[in-house]
């Protein structure tokens, strides 16, 4: 009965064992991913071709007994559809040809047409659902407005957040205007994924942790809350659980739990015992093994899994995951050890 463990755990219902999926479970640590990526020529070429996106989504499920699939795509599809000109620089990550550096540039940003500009994502979701055939649930996802705005204003990865922080302090209303357009875009985007068959959604707030507590509530959590409140039910009428993952958000769990989300993703800096004590039974928790633990030998990985499961305790509502995405250097054999250890030790 592994097919519904994940959705049950998100609803905090009892499960036979703890479900697991892994952030970035499809990706460069898999040789079969690297081969297909080579053939496609580019990462966006993979994302924009529904057959290839479907194939990459399924690759980790063929190797490991994972309890959920996650759509193969990227959070930056929305800024790309807004015309910012996404490209990847090897060794440096995602960049935009046209970063938003003026309030005039922000004024020109509008919600993309979902069917015309992002319809390939819905096509991929439909194809993946057909291939999964009810055996494994499918997670849809998007970036948080704050995280997308950070990439759009900085123009790429940043260590100082110079441009977005200057905008936040100098022109908070311009930033709020941008975040509002992004929140409406993400809402339409996730609702498109839900209509196409996504059975849970995760919002990745990768940069929320660089904000002050007050700014986090005002510039990140507020907009995620708007999105969660506007998510539509699945085509069968069921509620689609929303998972909020703020990297660096461990100090704000009570606020996040009050946002209306169904589950909170914890990074590895957060103590699961304290997290559970803070949120009680209001939400499910997801996480939070240190991704770097996968560099260790399998017996050590098994011990770390046991310690993590003990820290989450026996309360229902735990989905096992890493505290952030899996890294390219990880040995797939170590992932197999992780998944098996979670299912073995998590058995109740
Ligand atoms: O989890 C999954 O398996 C689903 C696919 C997925 C990808 N990106 C595939 C990807 C998901 C959920 C994402 C989310 C994403 N993308 C986030 C939020 C999660 C996080 O890690 O905090 C962010 C910040 C991005 C932006 C982005 N896209 C980055 C930083 C990179 C890596 C760039 C690099 O050169 O290291 C990407 C590209 C990307 N997205 C890859 C994959 C598999 C690697 C592309 C390649 O093949 O080179």
């Amino acid at each position: 009965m592994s097919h519904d463990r994940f959705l049950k755990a998100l609803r905090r219902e009892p499960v036979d064992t703890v479900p697991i999926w892994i952030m970035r479970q499809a990706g460069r640590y898999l040789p079969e991913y690297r081969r297909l990526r080579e053939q496609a020529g580019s990462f966006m070429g993979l994302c924009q071709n529904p057959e290839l996106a479907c194939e990459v989504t399924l690759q980790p499920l063929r190797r490991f007994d994972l309890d959920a699939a996650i759509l193969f795509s990227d959070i930056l599809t929305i800024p790309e559809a807004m015309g910012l000109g996404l490209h990847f620089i090897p060794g440096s990550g995602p960049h935009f040809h046209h970063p938003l550096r003026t309030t005039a540039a922000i004024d020109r940003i509008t919600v993309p047409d979902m069917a015309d500009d992002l319809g390939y994502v819905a096509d991929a979701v439909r194809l993946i659902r057909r291939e999964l055939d009810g055996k494994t649930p499918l997670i849809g996802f998007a970036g948080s407005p704050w995280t997308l705005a950070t990439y759009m204003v900085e123009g790429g990865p940043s260590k100082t957040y110079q441009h977005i922080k200057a905008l936040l302090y100098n022109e908070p209303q311009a930033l709020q205007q941008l975040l509002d357009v992004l929140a409406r875009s993400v809402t339409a985007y996730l609702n498109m994924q839900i209509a196409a068959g996504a059975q849970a959604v995760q919002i990745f707030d990768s940069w929320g942790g660089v904000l002050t507590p007050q700014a986090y509530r005002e510039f990140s959590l507020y907009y995620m809350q708007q999105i969660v409140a506007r998510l539509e039910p699945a085509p069968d009428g069921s509620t689609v659980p929303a998972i909020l993952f703020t990297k660096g958000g461990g100090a704000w769990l009570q606020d996040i739990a009050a946002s209306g989300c169904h589950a909170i993703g914890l990074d590895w800096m957060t103590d699961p015992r304290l997290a559970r004590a803070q949120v009680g039974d209001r939400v499910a928790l997801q996480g939070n093994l240190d991704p770097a633990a996968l560099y260790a030998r399998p017996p050590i990985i098994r011990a770390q899994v046991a310690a993590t499961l003990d820290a989450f305790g026996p309360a229902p509502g735990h989905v096992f995951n890493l505290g952030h995405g899996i890294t390219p250097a990880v040995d797939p054999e170590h992932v197999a050890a992780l998944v098996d250890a979670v299912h073995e030790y998590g058995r109740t």
Side-chain angles (χ1 to χ4, degrees):
M1 289 289 280
S2 76
H3 62 279
D4 60 355
R5 243 179 232 148
F6 168 69
L7 293 171
K8 278 188 172 167
L10 287 179
R11 294 194 298 260
R12 286 173 289 111
E13 292 169 9
V15 282
D16 59 337
T17 188
V18 174
I20 171 169
W21 70 279
I22 300 169
M23 289 191 273
R24 298 283 183 103
Q25 64 191 22
R28 284 172 294 187
Y29 74 104
L30 291 176
E32 59 271 34
Y33 169 82
R34 295 197 298 268
R35 276 196 296 275
L36 211 61
R37 160 90 165 68
E38 193 79 20
Q39 282 170 28
S42 71
F43 167 68
M44 283 309 283
L46 277 183
C47 293
Q48 292 175 342
N49 179 319
E51 280 79 25
L52 294 180
C54 174
E55 172 58 24
V56 177
T57 302
L58 300 178
Q59 283 177 345
L61 279 80
R62 295 198 186 104
R63 277 186 185 250
F64 315 117
D65 188 17
L66 293 160
D67 296 292
I70 178 159
L71 163 71
F72 186 80
S73 191
D74 200 79
I75 64 167
L76 301 177
T77 51
I78 287 181
E80 162 71 3
M82 288 171 160
L84 269 69
L86 175 65
H87 59 285
F88 286 87
I89 300 178
S92 161
H95 289 259
F96 289 112
H97 287 298
H98 315 291
L100 302 180
R101 288 288 163 74
T102 60
T103 50
I106 290 175
D107 281 340
R108 286 193 292 270
I109 293 292
T110 55
V111 177
D113 185 293
M114 291 299 139
D116 285 357
D117 300 330
L118 290 159
Y120 65 89
V121 176
D123 292 341
V125 169
R126 274 188 289 271
L127 195 56
I128 298 164
R129 275 300 304 275
R130 201 185 318 145
E131 290 294 316
L132 288 171
D133 197 23
K135 291 189 191 79
T136 310
L138 176 63
I139 305 167
F141 73 91
S144 73
W146 164 255
T147 295
L148 295 178
T150 300
Y151 275 106
M152 292 165 75
V153 172
E154 293 296 330
S158 172
K159 285 197 169 68
T160 57
Y161 305 96
Q162 175 188 348
H163 301 287
I164 186 92
K165 289 268 180 137
L167 183 67
L168 186 156
Y169 288 110
N170 289 331
E171 317 276 355
Q173 281 165 350
L175 178 56
Q176 279 156 344
Q177 179 188 325
L178 174 61
L179 293 168
D180 180 67
V181 176
L182 284 167
R184 287 186 281 121
S185 303
V186 170
T187 303
Y189 186 60
L190 290 177
N191 280 332
M192 175 181 74
Q193 294 181 31
I194 290 170
Q199 292 150 289
V201 293
Q202 173 155 319
I203 301 178
F204 287 89
D205 187 27
S206 308
W207 301 128
V210 308
L211 290 164
T212 65
Q214 173 58 25
Y216 175 71
R217 284 191 290 271
E218 209 174 318
F219 294 93
S220 185
L221 186 59
Y222 171 78
Y223 294 94
M224 293 197 283
Q225 208 170 330
Q226 300 294 309
I227 295 164
V228 171
R230 288 167 176 74
L231 289 180
E232 284 159 14
D236 70 2
S238 60
T239 300
V240 175
I243 309 162
L244 298 191
F245 173 69
T246 292
K247 180 154 175 287
W252 311 318
L253 299 178
Q254 280 165 331
D255 288 333
I256 302 173
S259 72
C261 70
H262 302 84
I264 303 178
L266 303 181
D267 62 27
W268 73 95
M269 292 81 89
T270 307
D271 183 336
R273 289 185 178 85
L274 298 179
R276 184 49 84 193
Q278 279 172 26
V279 305
D281 61 2
R282 274 183 293 174
V283 291
L285 293 173
Q286 178 176 279
N288 77 340
L289 183 69
D290 178 4
L294 291 179
Y295 300 139
R297 291 184 295 278
I300 312 275
I301 294 172
R302 283 191 279 276
Q304 291 293 322
V305 165
T308 304
L309 285 167
D310 287 344
F312 276 93
H318 178 210
V319 172
F320 203 100
N321 207 314
L322 302 179
H324 198 199
I326 189 169
T327 54
V330 167
D331 180 344
E333 290 299 316
H334 291 201
V335 178
L338 164 72
V339 174
D340 291 344
V342 170
H343 286 156
E344 270 166 43
Y345 198 84
R347 214 161 278 288
T348 43

